[in-house]
Amino acid sequence: MTKIKLISHNDLDGVSPALLGRLAFSDDNFDYSTVSIGRINDTVTHFIEEENDGDTALYITDISVNEEVAEKLNELVKKGQQITLIDHHISALPLAEKYDWVHVIAEDENGKKTAATSLFYDYLVRRNMLQKTALLDEYVELVRLFDTWDWFHENNLKAKRLNHLYYLIPHE
């Protein structure tokens, strides 16, 4: 069975794909790391050089790598390894234009701002790795609302409180 590794940002929108991954994949096969923007390239390089067995499916969400690391990942893709980077930040668009395994969507087809959590949720549901539920729909939307600041415009205090809760509870 293929192992799954997720590397994501260390904010609420970055940790939430890890929560979705815990629901979608077996605990025995799923591992994740959350990192700051300043540590992403080192973390992915460490995975490539020290942890990668060539059979691990790697997901990177809510954060992007530099061109040098992207090229290393692309070499793994050429060898048949599954690598998927899912982001909503327009700063990652140059990678999406160059690599098929990079998916960047800042707004959906209706003009609604996206978040990594909503993009990863849709990805997992479309591939029948996770079933939609009303509770997950609500959670994902609250994360999206907070991360895009739409909570402020919609006066959705529940989204703001969820983010506060994230910082109050130890991350372990």
Side-chain angles (χ1 to χ4, degrees), residues 1 4 6 15-32 59 117 120-125 127-140 143:
M1 189 174 269
I4 311 290
L6 180 127
V15 169
S16 294
L19 295 174
L20 294 172
R22 295 283 311 254
L23 295 171
F25 308 114
S26 157
D27 282 348
D28 296 338
N29 296 344
F30 181 70
D31 182 40
Y32 71 92
Y59 293 95
T117 301
F120 193 56
Y121 182 54
D122 292 343
Y123 175 92
L124 293 171
V125 168
R127 285 162 179 76
N128 294 317
M129 298 173 174
L130 187 64
Q131 296 295 318
K132 281 178 99 43
T133 68
L135 183 62
L136 284 175
D137 287 350
E138 180 184 14
Y139 177 81
V140 167
V143 172

Side-chain angles (χ1 to χ4, degrees), residues 32-82:
Y32 71 92
S33 301
T34 58
V35 296
S36 67
I37 293 168
R39 298 276 309 140
I40 184 61
N41 294 307
D42 291 340
T43 301
V44 173
T45 299
H46 178 79
F47 169 79
I48 293 168
E49 296 174 356
E50 305 292 330
E51 298 176 37
N52 189 25
D53 61 4
D55 191 38
T56 299
L58 175 64
Y59 293 95
I60 301 169
T61 58
D62 196 38
I63 199 164
S64 186
V65 296
N66 66 22
E67 180 60 39
E68 179 184 338
V69 175
E71 193 52 45
K72 290 178 185 179
L73 291 170
N74 199 52
E75 290 303 314
L76 297 177
V77 170
K78 287 178 183 176
K79 293 177 183 175
Q81 190 163 354
Q82 181 191 337

Side-chain angles (χ1 to χ4, degrees), residues 103-114:
H103 309 280
V104 179
I105 303 170
E107 291 183 351
D108 69 13
E109 59 278 354
N110 299 317
K112 184 164 88 170
K113 294 180 215 168
T114 64

